[in-house]
Amino acid sequence: MTLPPRWLGLVLPLVNVAIALAAAGLLVLAIGESPVEAAGIAFRGALGSGNGIGYTLHYATSFVFTGLAVAVAFHAGHFNIGGEGQALMGGLGAALVALALPGLPWPLLLPLAILGAALGGAAWAAIPGWLQAYRGSHIVITTIMFNFIAGALLVYLLAGPLRMAGSMALETAALPPAARLPSLADLAARFGIDLPRTPLNLSFAMALVACLAVWVLIWRTRLGYAIRTVGANAEAAAYAGISPARVTVIALALSGALAGLMATNEILGVQGRLINEFAAGAGFVGIAVALMGRGHPAGILAAALLFGVLAQGGAELSFEKPAITRDMIVVIQGLVILFSGALEGMVRHGGLALAQRLGRKAVPA
C-alpha cells in the first residue's frame, strides 16, 4: 500500500474549510445579506487591528489547550470529550492554590497555581481513565457525565464554601496579584512597546510551549511510543509488554492536565477569580480543533487560530449586522466541523484521485 503525498494532507483541510465557508456564504445570502461584505467584516474584526488580533489569539489559546487534550487521548485510542469539565476542575485547582497561599511571592505562587490547574484537570480525567482501564466503562459516556458533575460541583462550591462574602454572584474573592498571569500588553510596556489592551496574556506562550511538549511526548519519547502503540492496537501492545490499562490512565491524566491548563487563560490571565461556566464551550470546540488538526500539534495550532478568527470575527459580525445573530455564527462553526470531519472523505477521495492522475504515490480510494 502506497502513501498519499504530503501536500495532500495540507491541501485537503484548506479545501474543506473553503467549502464550509462557501456553504456559510449561501446561508448569509439566504437571509438577505451580502456574503462578501459579511466575510470582510468578520476578517477585519478578527485580524484587521491589534485589538482584534489580541482577542483572536486569546480565544485561540483556550482552543489550543483543549485541542491538545483531545489529541493526546486520541493517540491512545480514546475519545476524551470531557475537556469542558476538566477545564472547570483546572480552574478550581488553580483558585484553591491561589486562595490558600496568598502570602507567597509570585515566583512561587504563580507556578503553583498553574500546577494546581494541571493537577485539577488531570485528577478529573484520570477517574474515567481508570474506569475504562480497569472496569470496562466506556470513556465517552463517563467523560460526558463528568462534565455535568464538574459543572454541578462548581456551582455548589461557588454558591457556598467558596462564595465571596457579601456577594450574590457565583464567584470567589479576587485571587492574589501574585497568582495572576500578566497580559502581553503589560509585558510589552516594560520594553517600551505599546500594545492594545486585550485579554491576551502569557498563557498564549504557554500554549505554544504545550504544542512543542506534546509533539516531543508523542513522537520522541518512550511513553509517546507506548501511547501510539496502544492506540493503534491494544492487543499487539500487550503482546509487546506494554500495559494498555496503565497507558490509558496515564494518557487520560495527561489529556486532563492539558484541558485544565485552559483555566490559566481565563482564571489566572483574565478574570482574576474563579467564576461559573468560565470555559464557555472551549472544551467542546477542542474536539473539532483536534479533528481538524489531525491530532498533530501544528495542525491543532492552525485549527485553533481558525476557530479564534471565527469567534472574534463572529462577534464583530453580529454587532455590525444584527440580522446575523450569534446563533448563526455557531451554525457557521458547525459547518466548518461538518465539512472537516463528517464529510472529510468526500473531498479526500477526489484528492487521492487527483494525486494518482498527477503520478504521485497515493492510497487507493
Side-chain angles (χ1 to χ4, degrees), residues 57-72 80 83 86-87 114 181 201-211 214 254-266 282-283 285-287 289-290 300-301 304:
L57 294 179
H58 166 67
Y59 294 131
T61 299
S62 295
F63 302 152
V64 167
F65 282 123
T66 54
L68 290 173
V70 175
V72 169
N80 175 19
Q86 292 150 23
I114 294 172
L181 282 170
N201 58 79
L202 195 60
S203 63
F204 175 68
M206 292 171 52
L208 297 179
V209 173
C211 286
V214 169
L254 291 174
S255 175
L258 288 164
L261 286 174
M262 176 264 162
T264 62
N265 187 30
E266 286 292 334
V285 174
I287 299 171
V289 167
I300 288 170
L301 178 59

Side-chain angles (χ1 to χ4, degrees), residues 94-106 109-110 113 172-181 267-268 272-273:
L96 289 177
V97 170
L99 293 173
L101 303 170
L104 291 181
W106 73 263
L109 185 56
L110 181 56
T172 65
L175 303 182
R180 298 288 304 275
L181 282 170
I267 300 305
L268 302 183
R273 65 184 73 233

Side-chain angles (χ1 to χ4, degrees), residues 340-351:
S340 300
L343 300 181
E344 184 266 345
M346 178 179 68
V347 177
R348 178 177 175 81
H349 291 311

